[in-house]
Amino acid sequence: MKEPRVRVWIDARKEGYRPGRLEELVYTIPHIRYPRVWEKVYQTLGALVKEIEVLVPDTGRVKIVYDPARISPSFIDYLLQQKGIAFSRPGP
């Protein structure tokens, strides 16, 4: 008999668990207009989030739509840091 699977939610910034709805974040990612940076962002987050949209290429503003039941903003930050992508976003 298999042991039941347990889902673990890591909430690094006390953001809370809110299943079943989409939320969005706006990041500032310098040089997002360059294909190399855009590809790196897409490869890092493309499979985990619903949408990545470049709002204003010259200022580097990027909107990310995600499912909070699947990924948290702090984990998105962590993934971007791991890939060496410079970014900033307003606080919670």
Side-chain angles (χ1 to χ4, degrees):
M1 182 172 176
K2 285 185 175 181
E3 298 235 357
R5 290 184 171 194
V6 177
R7 181 173 285 187
V8 177
W9 180 263
I10 299 172
D11 190 6
R13 292 189 183 176
K14 308 281 186 236
E15 293 158 343
Y17 179 70
R18 299 169 296 238
R21 62 180 185 184
L22 297 177
E23 294 186 9
E24 58 185 58
L25 295 170
V26 176
Y27 282 85
T28 300
I29 301 176
H31 310 296
I32 191 71
R33 66 182 179 271
Y34 297 123
R36 193 164 154 201
V37 175
W38 167 248
E39 288 173 8
K40 206 173 199 184
V41 170
Y42 183 77
Q43 289 173 355
T44 302
L45 300 175
L48 301 172
V49 299
K50 175 125 174 104
E51 179 182 332
I52 303 171
E53 178 184 350
V54 178
L55 298 174
V56 184
D58 293 338
T59 62
R61 292 178 50 90
V62 178
K63 179 176 79 170
I64 297 177
V65 178
Y66 68 99
D67 179 5
R70 185 171 179 164
I71 191 168
S72 70
S74 56
F75 193 66
I76 293 172
D77 294 350
Y78 169 77
L79 291 174
L80 293 173
Q81 288 173 353
Q82 288 296 334
K83 295 296 183 174
I85 300 168
F87 70 93
S88 65
R89 76 171 168 100

